[in-house]
Amino acid sequence: TLSSSSAASDVYKRQFLKGMKLYAIDIVFHLTKQIKIQIIPVVVAATVDVALTIILIPLYGLEGAAMATVAAYAFAIISSWLLLAAQRTTLPFPVKDFVKILFASAIMGLSTLPFAGDERLGISLLQVIVAGLTYCFVCGCLYFKDLTNMVLKRKVNKNQHT
């Protein structure tokens, strides 16, 4: 079987790809009002995930499931991009958000280095908790201005309705 550091690496890859899919790809479907066709790459990626999970779990155990999910997210991004390109929908690449997500993912990965090589269950759980909190903290810092504006808008809207 693979080590827990390999599984953790798959978690970081999955988080990065999930962020890219949500903030760089899915938003284009919504902005161009093509939500109905968005289901195509989602269903295909889910099918790829199930197929790879069936193949990889007997070979690699839990790490195989993580690898399957990472591959499915990558497939979903590529197939969405191709679908949008086939419809001649412009797909602007959000460089600023890409860098923020990449940075948050890298810091999350670095935060787990003190736990490298220790495969005890308690340490692995601690590693996941530290990684998750680190990712949330870094994203909160990077998107602080956006989050503040969103909260202020909600307060203003709430005060206007009362």
Side-chain angles (χ1 to χ4, degrees), residues 3-15 70 112 127:
S3 68
S4 65
S5 62
S6 176
S9 174
D10 286 338
V11 169
Y12 308 138
K13 291 172 190 168
R14 185 176 63 218
Q15 278 304 111
V70 168
T112 63
Q127 182 180 22

Side-chain angles (χ1 to χ4, degrees), residues 52-158:
L52 287 175
T53 299
I54 290 169
I55 293 168
L56 295 175
I57 284 181
L59 298 172
Y60 300 105
L62 187 57
E63 290 88 1
M67 290 187 288
T69 303
V70 168
Y73 267 118
F75 189 83
I77 290 170
I78 293 167
S79 60
S80 295
W81 226 316
L82 292 173
L83 183 61
L84 290 168
Q87 295 196 351
R88 302 191 193 287
T89 302
T90 57
L91 185 60
F93 188 77
V95 175
K96 185 177 176 183
D97 287 329
F98 174 81
V99 170
K100 286 180 179 181
I101 292 168
L102 184 63
F103 181 73
S105 298
I107 297 299
M108 178 177 65
L110 290 173
S111 74
T112 63
L113 286 179
F115 308 105
D118 195 334
E119 297 185 21
R120 292 176 291 174
L121 180 61
I123 299 299
S124 294
L125 290 174
L126 182 62
Q127 182 180 22
V128 169
I129 292 168
V130 167
L133 290 174
T134 301
Y135 186 81
C136 290
F137 177 75
V138 173
C139 284
C141 291
L142 293 173
Y143 288 98
F144 182 77
K145 183 178 176 183
D146 297 332
L147 293 171
T148 304
N149 289 338
M150 185 175 67
V151 169
L152 291 175
K153 282 182 184 178
R154 284 188 178 182
K155 281 186 177 182
V156 168
N157 288 338
K158 188 176 183 179

Side-chain angles (χ1 to χ4, degrees), residues 13-54:
K13 291 172 190 168
R14 185 176 63 218
Q15 278 304 111
F16 174 72
L17 291 172
K18 181 179 180 181
M20 285 306 301
K21 184 176 180 323
L22 288 173
Y23 299 112
I25 303 294
D26 290 349
I27 193 71
V28 176
F29 283 106
H30 292 272
L31 293 175
T32 58
K33 296 182 172 74
Q34 297 181 4
I35 298 168
K36 289 181 183 178
I37 66 166
Q38 184 180 12
I39 193 71
I40 296 168
V42 171
V43 169
V44 173
T47 305
V48 167
D49 190 20
V50 169
L52 287 175
T53 299
I54 290 169

